[in-house]
Amino acid sequence: MYSSFVPPRQVKIGDAAAFAGTTPRAIRHYHEIGLLPEPVRGGDDRRRYGYDDMIRLLWIRKMADAGIALDDIRAAFAGGDDGIASVLERLEEALVAQEAELRRQRTAVRRMRTEGSRTGLLSGFVTGRLKSLPEGSLRQADLDSLLVTERIFGPLGAAVQATRFITLATHPDLREDSDRVDAAEEALDDTVAVDDPRVARVAAERHAFEQALRAVIEDSGLAEDDEALFGSWDASHPATADEAGHKSMSAFEALGRMPYDFSPARLRCMELAGELAASSDTT
């Protein structure tokens, strides 16, 4: 017995979208980018989709669900089997990169669980440098600074900077002096003139503090540990490694993209402190 059902020869965009598991808006976008040819229009000037249109739409959805970009899908249709092969090759490369990223994320999650804080989101090279510190001895501002340094100068630069925070965390008197100098610098806001005597005074205080900090680092043996870091890094990482998983960027480029709300007076203070440091290094 034959069925009395007669399939439609063409369907409207809403029916096409429902069948393909997409939306009319998505189908219109496929038309706009040339991924799906414009179909014939009926007497009411509405799009009508036939069998070939639906087949192509179904393949588009299959490839999109598989993670293939729309531009690559278009290239695949244009290139036939060769286009498909090219797309598959690129997709395989993308999957390998995704697997590497997932492994990196899992490692970061494990480090976060171990550290019990955002410290675990820093690279293993940096967190390894901080393992000897008592829990809670690092401030959030310290971690923020390490995060920025790692982005600009890489894990090695952040690991070296960690020496500063290790010293401050284990020497309360130095931490108190650091807080005092930091507060004095922050007070050099936009209401303070560049040639205000306070600018030079705070610069001298910063220079004196940095000298005291350096002396403690030298006496504690942490400076020797820093030297060892360079050898350890060279042995375990390629020179172009970007452990943070970001697109490579020069330190100069990164510095130009990180905003700091420093007043002219504070910038002048930093400049004077740098001049004092350079002068003392040459004597």
Side-chain angles (χ1 to χ4, degrees):
M1 182 175 181
Y2 293 104
S3 171
S4 60
F5 171 72
V6 178
R9 298 182 67 180
Q10 295 176 329
V11 296
K12 297 179 181 179
I13 190 171
D15 294 326
F19 183 80
T22 186
T23 65
R25 182 178 180 181
I27 293 178
R28 293 189 188 98
H29 180 62
Y30 298 156
H31 290 315
E32 290 172 0
I33 65 175
L35 183 55
L36 185 66
E38 279 284 349
V40 298
R41 291 179 180 265
D44 56 1
D45 200 34
R46 296 181 178 228
R47 293 182 177 94
R48 294 289 190 274
Y49 297 85
Y51 178 83
D52 290 340
D53 298 318
M54 293 301 297
I55 291 297
R56 188 175 181 110
L57 184 55
L58 287 171
W59 280 119
I60 290 171
R61 292 305 309 152
K62 281 287 186 181
M63 285 189 274
D65 290 343
I68 302 176
L70 295 183
D71 287 343
D72 287 336
I73 296 175
R74 184 170 54 208
F77 280 123
D81 289 342
D82 290 340
I84 289 287
S86 177
V87 167
L88 290 176
E89 183 177 353
R90 288 198 299 272
L91 181 59
E92 186 175 4
E93 293 173 353
L95 289 174
V96 170
Q98 289 174 6
E99 290 171 358
E101 176 65 12
L102 286 173
R103 286 196 298 271
R104 186 191 68 80
Q105 291 174 352
R106 284 194 293 268
T107 299
V109 169
R110 285 195 293 268
R111 284 204 303 264
M112 281 189 72
R113 286 176 177 169
T114 301
E115 300 295 334
S117 72
R118 277 180 282 181
T119 307
L121 288 175
L122 298 171
S123 75
F125 200 71
V126 180
T127 56
R129 183 72 165 133
L130 301 170
K131 283 190 179 298
S132 62
L133 286 177
E135 182 178 352
S137 59
L138 281 179
R139 298 179 177 181
Q140 185 58 49
D142 300 337
L143 294 176
D144 293 343
S145 294
L146 289 170
L147 178 68
V148 172
T149 300
E150 183 176 285
R151 180 66 185 111
I152 296 175
F153 297 106
L156 177 59
V160 172
Q161 187 193 34
T163 297
R164 179 186 190 88
F165 299 127
I166 292 171
T167 305
L168 293 177
T170 54
H171 293 77
D173 291 343
L174 272 179
R175 173 67 85 177
E176 184 177 342
D177 288 342
S178 177
D179 290 343
R180 176 181 54 78
V181 176
D182 288 346
E185 288 180 337
E186 291 174 4
L188 299 176
D189 56 23
D190 287 318
T191 66
V192 180
V194 173
D195 57 355
D196 189 297
R198 285 175 291 177
V199 175
R201 184 173 69 248
V202 175
E205 292 174 1
R206 168 59 67 186
H207 174 60
F209 169 74
E210 295 298 331
Q211 284 190 313
L213 178 64
R214 184 189 303 180
V216 172
I217 291 174
E218 292 285 347
D219 293 342
S220 65
L222 287 172
E224 296 177 2
D225 293 342
D226 283 348
E227 292 294 331
L229 283 175
F230 288 93
S232 175
W233 177 263
D234 290 341
S236 58
H237 293 78
T240 57
D242 186 10
E243 190 172 272
H246 299 288
K247 181 180 178 181
S248 179
M249 183 190 308
S250 72
F252 181 79
E253 290 174 321
L255 285 168
R257 288 170 169 80
M258 182 64 196
Y260 288 97
D261 189 18
F262 291 158
S263 68
R266 187 166 180 180
L267 290 172
R268 177 55 178 160
C269 178
M270 295 166 61
E271 182 181 10
L272 290 174
E275 292 173 359
L276 290 171
S279 177
S280 63
D281 287 341
T282 59
T283 57

